Amino acid sequence: MTKLAGSRVLVAGAGVTGRSAAEALLAAGAEVVVTDSSPERLMALETLLDGVELVPGLTEPPAGTSLVVTSPGWQPSSPLLAAASSAGIEVIGEVELAWRMASELADPPVWLAVTGTNGKTTTVGMLESILHAAGADAVACGNVGLPVVDALLAGRRVLAVELSSFQLHWAPSVRPQAGALLNLAEDHLDWHGGMEPYAQAKARILTGDVAIGWLDDDLVVDLLEESPARDRIGFTLDEPSDGQLGVRDGWLVDRAFADDEPLIEVSKIRPAGPPGIADALAATALARAYGVPSEAVREGLEAFEPAAHRAVLVTVAADIQYINDSKATNPHAAVASLRAFDSVVWIAGGLLKGASVDEMVRAEAHRLRGAVLIGADRAVIAEAMARHAPDVPVRVLDVADDDEPMVAVVRAAQELAQPGDTVLLAPAAASMDMFTDYAHRGQSFAEAVRRLTSG
């Protein structure tokens, strides 16, 4: 029996996370109610979850509710969660639920966690690959796709956990054995209500035994210095000092967990470039905090294959390369993508989520051959281009209702591009205004490129 046995728990949200949370609660002996604004999503659970009460559109918890487990995207101000808080009912997320369930086990799994504005999925994938090379019973979970409660109930011994700011907000007790903060820039400010609460949510990753942070980011450095962790480890793209990991003479070097040990040549890291190297350093630090030997670090990083839609070359045609970086869903990620190329026709736009683009445009204007802007916030980027890159030709397209919007986008980019240029999809914004998700956006771009260059 667990502490949840016999309690009445409301699950807010009937998506993947909600379903997994409901399954875990049932297994723990709880009485479970699931609500969602979509009756269709709820009905999809009817055949999957036996014994769960499904109630659409709740705006306050049912009588007798002792706990609410929310899907991460639900804002604290939503009527249901606000009503729960006003009634003194605790609201947590699925990650927090997994942490509490793990704490009741005689031999709980090890948590190695990562967050940041960008690079989370790449880093957790690298970490999983390194752990597998070391022979660990490990799995990547969390924001990467597999709910943490599923990994926990499957009995995995090491959890490589990717955590978003939403998940961290709803996970007040989580204290990973080692946690890494990759970087920090404006993102999800509409959800959190500003940069400070967003940063504080991210800082929760640094409250375990070992706190790891990127020393090349001043905001991360400040949070790392404030961390209550027993050990604080930094990583940098420069040569590392004692207690740090970094780069020297083309090698990743460990001066934190070893005595100045070279681990792998930078040229063997994928994705190539500074963002990929930084992610590899963070993954290495997390793995080394768990005690992984240097040989496994090298083998794991060499074996790692980057995820789709992250700086993927689609094709080269007429001496123009087409790059799909649809996963660059905020300005910070788009800057990293732009800096990998010298002359770019930039495809951008979507939902900016309150983030500013002025500094990005000002800093990267010199490498822009042109820009094609789409999506709900295309005018915001167009205005920034007019202020900071007035000589760069810009096409602002209203293609949201087109059956094949990316065909028009790629055609416009081809009209601006010259031999030697890169046509780069790095939207700096979320995709849900026009596409199902960033993967759908990237697939649409790649299909349009192949269609328009195959002849």
Side-chain angles (χ1 to χ4, degrees):
M1 298 291 286
T2 72
K3 294 177 182 178
L4 292 164
S7 60
R8 185 170 173 83
V9 182
L10 173 64
V11 175
V16 173
T17 300
R19 185 182 73 186
S20 293
E23 289 175 340
L25 288 162
L26 284 174
E31 179 185 341
V32 182
V33 179
V34 180
T35 190
D36 195 284
S37 61
S38 167
E40 292 76 19
R41 278 199 296 266
L42 280 177
M43 290 307 103
L45 297 185
E46 194 167 22
T47 58
L48 299 174
L49 297 175
D50 186 28
V52 171
E53 184 181 354
L54 304 174
V55 184
L58 284 177
T59 56
E60 58 183 34
T65 299
S66 59
L67 178 69
V68 175
V69 178
T70 180
S71 295
W74 285 46
Q75 291 182 263
S77 60
S78 64
L80 176 60
L81 303 188
S85 296
S86 296
I89 300 171
E90 187 179 20
V91 181
I92 65 171
E94 171 266 332
V95 173
E96 177 74 11
L97 176 66
W99 179 260
R100 295 184 186 187
M101 294 179 69
S103 69
E104 296 184 31
L105 300 176
D107 186 19
V110 170
W111 290 49
L112 305 174
V114 60
T115 195
T117 303
N118 300 301
K120 298 183 293 296
T121 301
T122 298
T123 301
V124 83
M126 289 175 166
L127 175 59
E128 181 187 49
S129 185
I130 293 169
L131 292 167
H132 286 170
D137 178 20
V139 66
C141 56
N143 196 55
V144 73
L146 175 69
V148 184
V149 290
D150 288 354
L152 177 70
L153 295 178
R156 307 308 288 266
R157 301 306 307 142
V158 185
L159 308 183
V161 189
E162 176 187 332
L163 295 176
S164 69
S165 59
F166 304 157
Q167 289 170 312
L168 285 161
H169 174 89
W170 296 117
S173 303
V174 172
R175 302 289 183 269
Q177 177 173 318
L181 178 54
L182 304 177
N183 44 59
L184 204 56
E186 288 186 342
D187 199 16
H188 302 302
L189 303 190
D190 51 349
W191 195 98
H192 289 279
M195 188 64 183
E196 179 61 22
Y198 172 66
Q200 290 306 311
K202 290 291 192 183
R204 287 184 172 178
I205 204 83
L206 303 176
T207 57
D209 295 336
V210 181
I212 298 162
W214 191 27
L215 301 178
D216 300 353
D217 185 319
D218 291 341
L219 293 175
V220 173
V221 170
D222 290 342
L223 294 175
L224 186 62
E225 289 176 348
E226 297 169 2
S227 165
R230 181 195 65 212
D231 298 315
R232 288 175 286 183
I233 305 296
F235 63 95
T236 174
L237 294 178
D238 295 327
E239 185 167 339
S241 301
D242 288 341
Q244 300 175 1
L245 293 91
V247 179
R248 185 180 65 234
D249 298 329
W251 283 77
L252 259 62
V253 176
D254 182 1
R255 298 188 65 184
F257 303 96
D259 185 15
D260 203 16
E261 182 177 12
L263 299 171
I264 183 174
E265 292 177 275
V266 166
S267 61
K268 295 182 178 180
I269 293 171
R270 297 182 305 276
I277 297 168
D279 295 343
L281 286 163
T284 298
L286 287 163
R288 296 291 265 178
Y290 177 61
V292 169
S294 58
E295 295 81 3
V297 171
R298 176 181 53 78
E299 292 173 11
L301 290 176
E302 287 180 351
F304 173 71
E305 294 291 341
H309 312 293
R310 169 58 79 197
V312 176
L313 175 64
V314 178
T315 192
V316 178
D319 199 25
I320 297 168
Q321 65 174 344
Y322 296 81
I323 301 291
N324 169 20
D325 199 2
S326 183
K327 207 169 188 300
T329 57
N330 55 64
H332 189 266
V335 166
S337 190
L338 286 164
R339 288 179 178 174
F341 309 102
D342 294 326
S343 184
V344 177
V345 176
W346 180 35
I347 299 172
L351 295 169
L352 288 170
K353 301 168 291 184
S356 171
V357 296
D358 280 84
E359 178 56 25
M360 170 183 62
V361 172
R362 185 199 62 76
E364 307 308 322
H366 66 283
R367 68 181 76 248
L368 298 180
R369 173 81 68 186
V372 181
L373 307 179
I374 60 173
D377 289 330
R378 60 189 180 276
V380 177
I381 304 176
E383 290 165 5
M385 292 289 296
R387 284 191 293 270
H388 305 293
D391 297 329
V392 175
V394 176
R395 306 283 189 270
V396 182
L397 303 185
D398 183 5
V399 292
D401 296 328
D402 287 8
D403 291 335
E404 296 180 297
M406 277 299 180
V407 172
V409 170
V410 173
R411 187 175 286 121
Q414 288 177 322
E415 293 172 357
L416 295 172
Q418 297 182 18
D421 287 348
T422 296
V423 172
L424 174 65
L425 173 66
S431 57
M432 288 77 75
D433 56 333
M434 291 176 59
F435 302 94
T436 304
D437 51 25
Y438 74 81
H440 179 208
R441 178 171 60 191
Q443 290 163 359
S444 298
F445 171 73
E447 289 167 3
V449 167
R450 294 187 186 104
R451 174 175 167 182
L452 294 175
T453 60
S454 60

